[in-house]
Amino acid sequence: SASRDGARLCTAGLVLVRQRPGKGNAIFITLEDETGITNVVLWASLFETFRREVMAARLMQVDGRVQRSQDDVVHLMAATVEDRSATLRHLFDAPAGESAPPRGHHPRDARLVPKSRDFH
């Protein structure tokens, strides 16, 4: 199974929450796709490498390793983070013949994408 401890996994989903408790050593990101929720952990040492992607992405792709605790809590320990938000323009409820949001609109304005709850 892809969710066994130590398995390599790549997933993508809408960013629901980004959290960095205090000056913590990790950033916690919650992604959601059609199959459910993924809890992502990104070590602070990698955060600077992927700062723009972590802070800007509405749709995020994460590659990493599954970490399953003895209590059966599962996290994806991120190795790489990619901002896939540009693909959200295909979800925009555009008038017939229009394939992207009208000029001046951002993919974040798409009604299908919930606002994320983030740290600042």
Side-chain angles (χ1 to χ4, degrees), residues 3-4 7 15-17 24 28 39 43 47 60 75 79 85 88 90 103-104 107 112 118:
S3 63
R4 77 183 191 289
V15 178
L16 298 181
V17 180
F28 300 95
N39 297 309
W43 293 118
F47 176 62
M60 185 183 290
H75 290 93
S85 302
L88 291 174
H90 301 293
R103 196 166 191 86
L112 296 173
D118 301 329

Side-chain angles (χ1 to χ4, degrees), residues 11-14 31-38 59:
T11 190
L14 294 175
L31 303 180
E32 182 177 24
D33 68 7
E34 70 278 4
T35 64
I37 299 289
T38 301
L59 179 64

Side-chain angles (χ1 to χ4, degrees), residues 14-67:
L14 294 175
V15 178
L16 298 181
V17 180
R18 299 171 183 90
Q19 296 177 312
R20 185 176 189 178
K23 296 287 182 186
N25 291 332
I27 290 82
F28 300 95
I29 304 164
T30 305
L31 303 180
E32 182 177 24
D33 68 7
E34 70 278 4
T35 64
I37 299 289
T38 301
N39 297 309
V40 176
V41 177
L42 177 69
W43 293 118
S45 58
L46 281 178
F47 176 62
E48 289 307 317
T49 303
F50 299 107
R51 175 184 280 279
R52 192 202 63 74
E53 292 84 351
V54 169
M55 298 305 292
R58 300 292 293 148
L59 179 64
M60 185 183 290
Q61 180 176 317
V62 178
D63 184 43
R65 294 216 180 263
V66 173
Q67 183 180 73

Side-chain angles (χ1 to χ4, degrees), residues 64-101:
R65 294 216 180 263
V66 173
Q67 183 180 73
R68 184 181 290 273
S69 74
Q70 291 179 355
D71 298 331
D72 215 27
V73 176
V74 179
H75 290 93
L76 181 59
M77 306 305 289
T80 63
V81 177
E82 190 174 336
D83 183 352
R84 302 293 298 229
S85 302
T87 59
L88 291 174
R89 71 174 168 266
H90 301 293
L91 298 176
F92 185 79
D93 189 14
E98 193 174 317
S99 63

